[in-house]
Amino acid sequence: MQDIVVIGGGASGMAAAVSAARAGASVTILEHNDILGKKLLSTGNGRCNLTNLRIRSKDYRSDDPEFAGEFLEGFDSAPALEFLASVGIYTKCRGDYVYPLCDQASAVREAFDTELLRLGARVVTDCHAEHIRRTKGGFLINCQGQNKSFYASKVILAAGSKASDISGSDGSGYALAKELGHSLSPVVPALAPLVSDKKWFRKLAGIRTLAAVSLFVEGQFTAEDMGELQLTDYGISGIPVFQISRYAAKALRENKNVTVQIDFLPHIPKKELYRELHRRRELWGKCAAQKLLNTIFPSKLIPVLLAESGIERQVWAEKISEETWRKFADCCKCFEVPVSGTKPFSRAQVCAGGVKTAEVSPRTMESKLVKGLFLTGELLDIDGICGGYNLHFAWGSGIRAGQYAAAPYPQTNGL
């Protein structure tokens, strides 16, 4: 019998296997794909945003808000960087964002491959864990692909979520957790684009512009962010949209009304904008309204803003009433987008929801329901904002699970 079987060879699974093997355990990783860390290759646009220098509990979301704070005690960016360095990954920073020195996610994956080989961990690829059950003294895991079963005294369930279009990101880990008695918070896409039924988005596709976005659920303010907004043929995307998307997805699942208000000029107060529009009207009143705005907004955006304000594009600026210009300023600062959905799980970076964290120890990652079972990473109901937070949780939860799974019983459970 293997001491520990790790189900899932993504970021948290590899970290767990390294940590457990370093502690002297015999470790086997069961991975659905043909290589470990396949999803890691697409993170950070292939550069792999490893962690963040400003790790704060408020940047994680969950139905159990206390979990992140307890987990982060003793695991900020310093121990994460120390662990990555021990695997041979040199790092650099862009602001607070931490990347591998070589800017290649593939090198991060290969570094873990090399360390696992050195430690003597067994890696079984093309192996899909289909069922798991508790046995006397351990666990029995039945697998597709290898057409065999694996026994373990302890199991680290690191099977990931349903996010991304990488093969194996199918949410099968949720079923395994449920087989062992765990319950789930509803799983929805997070860090994902938002979809709108407004037809004018087809005219706006390709625009990238600084903007502030505010999310409203049933008319109540829910979340906000600011950064480079991307307008697409289906709706809105970009980091500020990703940051608020989990709240939109949760609300949409409950059939609630969701809207986003966009401020296309977040650094210009509305009164200042109106004064500038008035000044332009006085100076260049015999210019068409669209021409008057070319130096303020992306050219493809102007006709839509004018139309939504009831202004003809070619009408002279001086013929537009002061009241209408005020309406235009309101539209620029509070452009309302009805949200009809999110892009699917395949287009999401992570998921919101998952195994309820109230059923897992934040100190050890051991199940409070099943002794010897540990759960890590995206499988759990905890998701971070963009900027390395989700990989930080993957490393940390994997390291803790590996350390405590490798420790002989009796051990401090942290329950």
Side-chain angles (χ1 to χ4, degrees):
M1 177 184 290
Q2 292 290 328
D3 285 342
I4 298 170
V5 165
V6 180
I7 301 177
S12 72
M14 293 189 296
V18 167
S19 184
R22 286 177 177 176
S26 176
V27 179
T28 294
I29 305 179
L30 307 181
E31 167 54 37
H32 178 97
N33 287 303
D34 56 345
I35 59 170
L36 299 179
K38 198 162 191 174
K39 185 176 175 181
L40 200 64
L41 298 177
S42 63
T43 59
N45 292 320
R47 295 182 301 170
C48 198
N49 185 185
L50 295 162
T51 183
N52 195 290
L53 296 181
R54 288 181 46 181
I55 296 293
R56 303 168 299 182
S57 61
K58 71 176 185 177
D59 293 319
Y60 288 92
R61 292 84 174 262
S62 171
D63 286 351
D64 175 15
E66 303 300 320
F67 185 90
E70 292 184 60
F71 168 81
L72 290 173
E73 289 181 15
F75 197 80
D76 57 14
S77 59
L81 294 172
E82 182 179 352
F83 173 75
L84 292 168
S86 76
V87 180
I89 301 167
Y90 278 25
T91 59
K92 65 182 178 183
C93 298
R94 293 187 178 92
D96 291 327
Y97 291 27
V98 180
Y99 294 88
L101 186 62
C102 62
D103 264 339
Q104 293 182 319
S106 58
V108 175
R109 195 205 69 79
E110 289 166 7
F112 276 96
D113 259 351
T114 301
E115 179 64 359
L116 288 165
L117 178 64
R118 182 188 75 83
L119 292 167
R122 181 187 180 194
V123 177
V124 184
T125 56
D126 298 307
C127 181
H128 178 74
E130 188 175 24
H131 295 290
I132 183 171
R133 65 182 177 89
R134 197 79 167 87
T135 65
K136 185 177 180 179
F139 299 84
L140 173 64
I141 304 131
N142 296 318
C143 294
Q144 288 181 338
Q146 294 289 328
N147 194 27
K148 62 173 66 174
S149 297
F150 295 83
Y151 296 89
S153 58
K154 296 173 187 174
V155 165
I156 299 174
L157 193 50
S161 69
K162 298 173 70 172
S164 95
D165 59 357
I166 301 297
S167 174
S169 294
D170 55 6
S172 57
Y174 301 134
L176 297 177
K178 289 175 72 175
E179 273 193 296
L180 293 171
H182 279 279
S183 53
L184 304 179
S185 294
V187 179
V188 296
L191 301 188
L194 297 180
V195 177
S196 177
D197 293 331
K198 285 292 186 179
K199 293 181 179 179
W200 35 248
F201 271 113
R202 297 171 191 166
K203 303 175 183 177
L204 302 178
I207 292 176
R208 292 172 179 253
T209 185
L210 176 67
V213 293
S214 300
L215 181 74
F216 291 81
V217 175
E218 297 291 344
Q220 298 296 311
F221 170 78
T222 303
E224 64 183 352
D225 204 84
M226 185 171 71
E228 186 181 70
L229 175 70
Q230 297 176 28
L231 303 179
T232 70
D233 58 355
Y234 58 78
I236 53 178
S237 186
I239 288 179
V241 174
F242 292 170
Q243 307 290 43
I244 65 173
S245 62
R246 65 106 62 199
Y247 302 108
K250 289 268 190 180
L252 289 165
R253 186 183 183 277
E254 297 171 1
N255 295 315
K256 293 180 178 178
N257 178 263
V258 178
T259 58
V260 169
Q261 291 182 0
I262 303 173
D263 181 351
F264 285 109
L265 298 168
H267 296 310
I268 301 177
K270 188 187 296 185
K271 288 184 178 180
E272 182 180 329
L273 172 61
Y274 179 70
R275 284 197 298 270
E276 176 61 20
L277 293 174
H278 178 78
R279 185 182 75 87
R280 290 178 178 229
R281 178 178 181 270
E282 292 298 308
L283 288 174
W284 304 296
K286 288 184 169 50
C287 287
Q290 179 165 346
K291 188 175 182 181
L292 202 69
L293 302 168
N294 278 338
T295 58
I296 302 177
F297 302 100
S299 58
K300 288 200 295 185
L301 178 60
I302 296 170
V304 174
L305 292 175
L306 289 171
E308 289 296 297
S309 305
I311 301 173
E312 293 287 337
R313 284 189 295 172
Q314 298 305 321
V315 69
W316 285 4
E318 67 181 14
K319 295 184 178 181
I320 301 171
S321 69
E322 293 287 333
E323 181 181 350
T324 302
W325 275 122
R326 289 182 186 278
K327 183 179 178 181
F328 178 80
D330 288 342
C331 182
C332 299
K333 296 292 291 180
C334 191
F335 187 80
E336 189 161 293
V337 176
V339 178
S340 57
T342 70
K343 279 297 185 178
F345 286 106
S346 61
R347 292 283 303 277
Q349 293 184 22
V350 296
C351 290
V355 175
K356 292 184 177 180
T357 53
E359 301 172 353
V360 178
S361 165
R363 307 286 183 183
T364 66
M365 309 312 297
E366 186 171 13
S367 167
K368 296 181 180 180
L369 309 181
V370 183
K371 194 176 183 66
L373 174 68
F374 298 78
L375 302 100
T376 69
E378 289 185 32
L379 189 65
L380 296 167
D381 174 29
I382 180 167
D383 55 287
I385 63 173
C386 294
Y389 293 89
N390 291 292
L391 268 183
H392 181 87
F393 180 70
W395 307 132
S397 60
I399 292 167
R400 285 193 180 167
Q403 288 173 342
Y404 282 93
Y409 287 121
Q411 68 184 60
T412 300
N413 238 337
L415 306 184

